[in-house]
């Protein structure tokens, strides 16, 4: 077999590497590499006016007078081609105030939507109710719109209230109330009403009053109260300018506005808040071993600032006292501690238990407390004796309580264990006569 010599010369290793590096990937002529959709959106220009013009083209096809169905149909159609989420702020500006806004709340130009909340009513079309119903149906279709509405747009637009006249503020307030009630939009936007420039000149107060009227036309004041607690609006007093931020001005305003239920509700809320503060304050002062005189002085200062009925204050003092009882001890020890505590701290009670109503209320507070904690059942007559001997309650108060003033909780038991005391007091009264 003949051998043919290999005459080819092997290429240097370096040349192989450079050839592979220089290799070009094959491509088809005339084919363009497309950007991913998400990347295209991220790098796209932000053009609110272009979006506005495109949306107005859709809305211009709504017949006159508009209907909820026709408005929803055009907005859903627009959502198929326009980026509603990216331009949600501009979308809501058009649907609420009719045009694009500049920073500060002024209109950008004179282009207006054919349908929006603040427009004048037309025959067969209520812009407030119509737009709320439209928004409800559109957001059922595009659920991602609710979050920017309640977290961004509504809090911001309420910061611009001073830009609108009273008629516009009233319409906006009605719309927000209906959105909260019917569309389950968060009420957190109401916290914007306490900003200084909104509180100024009663702007926020005017809005809230209109909001409350619209809300209470469909729901109870208790339901409104629950909504306000969730809103972050801690106290409606914050809606009033600081120079008139007091109970009298609050009551006068809502009575004149025809909202007496708000006055009653606010009174209860304010009383409950004062109650919690008072009970906690008494518990803290007792824990710090402050003297009776120091505690009385502080309670007098509180009464001067936030006066409450003597019967309420007496009940709160009692609740503050019993909070310091050590219930980890045996029943007999806890009972002895309570009796000793009342004996030592009786001057605090005596300083504020003014009038027969407060005295009977104090006995009932003791009754309810002993009924709720059965370990203190036996202590009831002894506690009443201590309160009588320290001039916290009178014989007439005890007799009245025994005859017709006792609470229903364990009534027969407490009447029975105090029979001897009541008989003694009645005989004493007869001897004096």
């Amino acid at each position: 077999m003949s051998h043919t010599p290999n005459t080819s010369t092997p290429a240097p290793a370096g040349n192989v590497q450079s050839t592979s590096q220089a290799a070009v990937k094959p491509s088809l002529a005339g084919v363009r590499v497309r950007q991913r959709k998400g990347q295209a959106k991220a790098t796209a220009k932000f053009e609110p006016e272009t979006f506005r013009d495109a949306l107005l083209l859709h809305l211009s096809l709504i017949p006159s007078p508009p209907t909820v169905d026709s408005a929803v149909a055009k907005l859903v159609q627009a959502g198929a081609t326009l980026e509603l989420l990216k331009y949600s702020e501009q979308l809501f500006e058009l649907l609420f105030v009719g045009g694009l806004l500049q920073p500060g709340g002024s209109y950008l130009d004179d282009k207006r939507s054919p349908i929006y909340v603040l427009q004048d009513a037309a025959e067969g079309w209520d812009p407030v109710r119509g737009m709320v119903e439209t928004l409800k149906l559109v957001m059922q279709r595009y659920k991602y719109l609710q979050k920017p509405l309640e977290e961004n747009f509504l809090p911001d637009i309420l910061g611009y209230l001073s830009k609108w006249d009273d008629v516009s503020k009233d319409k906006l307030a009605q719309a927000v109330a209906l959105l909260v009630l019917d569309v389950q939009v968060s009420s957190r936007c109401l916290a914007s009403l306490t900003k200084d420039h909104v509180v100024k000149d009663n702007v926020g107060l005017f809005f809230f009053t209109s909001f409350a009227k619209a809300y209470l036309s469909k729901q109870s004041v208790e339901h409104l109260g629950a909504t306000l607690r969730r809103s972050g609006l801690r106290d409606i007093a914050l809606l009033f300018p600081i120079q008139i931020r007091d109970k009298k001005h609050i009551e006068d305003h809502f009575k004149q506005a025809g909202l007496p239920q708000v006055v009653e509700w606010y009174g209860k809320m304010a009383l409950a808040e004062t109650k919690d503060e008072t009970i906690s304050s008494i518990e803290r002062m007792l824990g710090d071993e402050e003297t009776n005189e120091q505690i009385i002085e502080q309670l007098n200062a509180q009464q001067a600032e936030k006066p409450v009925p003597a019967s309420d204050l007496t009940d709160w003092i009692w609740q503050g006292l019993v909070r310091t009882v050590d219930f980890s001890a045996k029943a007999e020890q806890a009972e002895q501690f309570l009796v000793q505590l009342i004996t030592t701290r009786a001057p605090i009670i005596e300083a504020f238990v003014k009038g027969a109503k407060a005295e009977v209320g104090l006995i009932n507070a003791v009754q309810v407390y002993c009924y709720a904690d059965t370990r203190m059942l036996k202590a009831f007559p002894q506690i009443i004796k201590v309160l009588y001997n320290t001039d916290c309650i009178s014989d007439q108060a005890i007799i009245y309580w025994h005859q017709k003033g006792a609470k229903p909780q364990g009534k027969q038991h407490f009447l029975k264990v105090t029979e001897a005391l009541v008989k003694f007091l009645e005989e004493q009264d007869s001897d004096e006569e």
Side-chain angles (χ1 to χ4, degrees):
M1 184 174 67
S2 63
H3 176 72
T4 305
N6 186 359
T7 57
S8 61
T9 305
N15 289 345
V16 173
Q17 187 176 3
S18 61
T19 303
S20 63
Q21 285 179 345
V24 179
K25 292 183 179 180
S27 62
L28 295 175
V31 175
R32 185 177 57 179
V33 178
R34 297 181 63 185
Q35 239 182 349
R36 287 182 179 272
K37 189 176 180 182
Q39 186 182 4
K41 284 186 177 181
T43 56
K45 288 183 179 180
F46 183 69
E47 300 176 313
E49 293 176 57
T50 301
F51 169 84
R52 183 267 316 274
D53 294 341
L55 181 61
L56 290 182
L57 284 176
H58 287 278
L59 299 183
S60 66
L61 300 176
I62 296 174
S64 183
T67 64
V68 170
D69 289 341
S70 62
V72 170
K74 292 304 175 187
L75 284 167
V76 169
Q77 186 181 41
T81 56
L82 300 179
E83 296 181 68
L84 298 186
L85 181 59
K86 181 176 181 178
Y87 294 98
S88 59
E89 182 180 350
Q90 289 70 37
L91 170 67
F92 292 130
E93 285 178 357
L94 289 167
L95 298 182
F96 276 82
V97 302
L100 297 186
L101 299 178
Q102 302 181 82
S106 301
Y107 283 111
L108 179 66
D109 51 36
D110 58 359
K111 289 188 177 182
R112 297 289 179 269
S113 168
I115 54 165
Y116 59 102
V117 170
L118 299 189
Q119 72 182 145
D120 295 333
E123 187 176 351
W125 175 250
D126 179 346
V128 175
R129 294 184 181 278
M131 290 307 300
V132 169
E133 186 64 23
T134 298
L135 284 164
K136 178 181 180 180
L137 295 173
V138 170
M139 288 195 295
Q140 286 175 355
R141 176 69 175 79
Y142 300 116
K143 292 183 171 58
Y144 54 75
L145 288 175
Q146 181 159 338
K147 188 175 181 180
L149 173 66
E150 60 189 19
E151 293 187 1
N152 300 320
F153 177 76
L154 289 179
D156 289 347
I157 200 69
L158 295 194
Y160 297 151
L161 284 177
S162 58
K163 295 289 184 181
W164 316 108
D165 58 28
D166 287 351
V167 173
S168 297
K169 288 197 284 280
D170 183 58
K171 287 181 178 179
L172 190 57
Q174 292 179 50
V176 173
L178 292 175
L179 285 168
V180 172
L181 283 168
D182 297 342
V183 192
Q184 306 304 307
V185 167
S186 168
S187 58
R188 287 192 295 271
C189 61
L190 296 179
S192 296
L193 300 178
T194 60
K195 293 178 179 178
D196 289 344
H197 69 282
V198 181
V199 171
K200 186 181 178 183
D201 299 325
N202 296 326
V203 172
L205 181 59
F206 180 93
F207 179 92
F208 177 79
T209 305
S210 296
F211 173 88
K213 284 181 178 179
Y215 200 104
L216 293 173
S217 69
K218 303 188 74 172
Q219 273 294 355
S220 67
V221 71
E222 289 75 22
H223 196 282
L224 172 63
T227 295
L228 293 180
R229 283 193 295 275
R230 291 191 297 270
S231 73
L233 178 59
R234 295 181 294 103
D235 187 349
I236 60 174
L238 298 174
L239 301 171
F240 289 75
I242 196 164
Q243 62 270 22
I244 57 170
R245 194 174 292 172
D246 55 60
K247 184 179 179 182
K248 183 180 183 305
H249 282 93
I250 294 170
E251 290 180 350
D252 289 348
H253 171 79
F254 287 107
K255 282 179 181 176
Q256 291 172 9
L259 294 171
Q261 64 271 52
V262 173
V263 175
E264 184 179 352
W265 167 80
Y266 182 74
K268 290 179 181 177
M269 292 296 295
L271 191 66
E273 185 177 333
T274 304
K275 174 184 176 179
D276 292 340
E277 290 175 357
T278 303
I279 294 173
S280 297
S281 175
I282 291 169
E283 182 184 12
R284 177 187 55 76
M285 289 187 287
L286 290 172
D288 293 343
E289 297 184 351
E290 294 192 19
T291 65
N292 292 339
E293 291 74 18
Q294 288 174 317
I295 296 174
I296 290 170
E297 183 180 356
Q298 182 151 335
L299 290 174
N300 275 324
Q302 179 185 296
Q303 277 290 81
E305 183 181 351
K306 298 179 181 178
V308 297
S311 55
D312 289 326
L313 183 56
T314 304
D315 179 53
W316 303 346
I317 292 172
W318 170 260
Q319 291 187 48
L321 283 171
V322 298
R323 275 195 185 184
T324 62
V325 177
D326 182 9
F327 287 110
S328 64
K330 293 181 180 179
E332 296 80 7
Q333 292 175 332
E335 184 180 316
Q336 290 172 6
F337 177 84
L338 178 59
V339 172
Q340 181 59 44
L341 176 67
I342 296 167
T343 304
T344 306
R345 298 296 188 172
I348 302 172
I349 301 175
E350 193 271 333
F352 297 99
V353 60
K354 300 179 188 218
K357 184 178 179 181
E359 292 180 25
V360 175
L362 176 58
I363 301 173
N364 278 324
V366 179
Q367 176 192 334
V368 171
Y369 169 73
C370 292
Y371 176 79
D373 192 331
T374 54
R375 291 173 296 181
M376 296 297 174
L377 277 173
K378 293 181 181 178
F380 181 76
Q382 193 174 358
I383 294 171
I384 298 302
K385 287 178 185 177
V386 171
L387 292 173
Y388 172 69
N389 290 332
T390 53
D391 295 328
C392 292
I393 53 177
S394 65
D395 53 353
Q396 292 301 315
I398 297 171
I399 293 169
Y400 176 86
W401 169 84
H402 194 271
Q403 290 176 346
K404 53 185 176 182
K407 291 278 188 182
Q409 293 94 323
K411 180 176 178 179
Q412 294 308 315
H413 167 78
F414 293 113
L415 294 182
K416 185 176 181 180
V417 297
T418 52
E419 278 180 355
L421 174 61
V422 172
K423 185 177 180 182
F424 167 77
L425 294 174
E426 288 176 335
E427 289 174 352
Q428 194 176 42
D429 283 351
S430 297
D431 290 343
E432 288 178 359
E433 289 176 6

